[in-house]
Amino acid sequence: QVQLVESGGGLVQPGGTLRLSCAASGFTLTYYSLGWFRQAPGKEREGVSCISSSDDNTYYTHSVKGRFTISRDNAKNAVHLQMNSLKPEDTAVYYCAAYFSGGDYCGVNPDEYRYWGQGTQVTVSS
């Protein structure tokens, strides 16, 4: 059974840090581009970051550049999102996703992604 399971969400104060993880089962992430998306209440799903299957290219949406870092661990079949200097506007449900790609490209068009996790809540509040 193909599955992506996120973990690491929670409540954190502004300026704090969280590390989200996404573990895959039922398939190998090696040849998949991986992305993190988020959706806040009343807003559309937003592409936050992605990493290519080659691990050579990453993308970050403007609002998280310099604060978030995406990384993949093929040995553990997982992808992570390190989130530093968190702001209240980062509050959302965060989803990881994957699509098959053997190249150096990754994008944050959700229509490209085949597999999705169930999401993990991140709340930034004092």
Side-chain angles (χ1 to χ4, degrees):
Q1 181 181 1
V2 171
Q3 201 171 11
L4 292 172
V5 179
E6 301 96 337
S7 61
L11 173 63
V12 64
Q13 292 186 343
T17 64
L18 283 174
R19 185 174 188 251
L20 304 184
S21 296
C22 174
S25 60
F27 71 112
T28 303
L29 291 178
T30 305
Y31 298 107
Y32 284 76
S33 291
L34 306 171
W36 285 95
F37 296 78
R38 66 186 180 187
Q39 189 165 21
K43 294 187 176 181
E44 293 187 354
R45 187 168 295 190
E46 174 190 25
V48 176
S49 180
C50 67
I51 186 167
S52 64
S53 60
S54 66
D55 206 12
D56 289 338
N57 287 299
T58 58
Y59 165 85
Y60 299 93
T61 193
H62 178 74
S63 62
V64 308
K65 279 184 180 178
R67 300 188 297 123
F68 290 11
T69 303
I70 191 171
S71 62
R72 60 189 302 149
D73 186 342
N74 288 340
K76 294 186 177 180
N77 215 28
V79 60
H80 308 286
L81 186 68
Q82 178 68 41
M83 305 188 296
N84 300 329
S85 303
L86 282 161
K87 304 176 181 180
E89 51 263 43
D90 295 318
T91 295
V93 178
Y94 283 71
Y95 301 88
C96 68
Y99 71 91
F100 185 82
S101 171
D104 294 334
Y105 167 80
C106 76
V108 290
N109 178 356
D111 293 337
E112 293 184 305
Y113 286 79
R114 179 175 182 183
Y115 301 121
W116 290 82
Q118 82 290 349
T120 185
Q121 176 70 47
V122 171
T123 303
V124 185
S125 175
S126 55

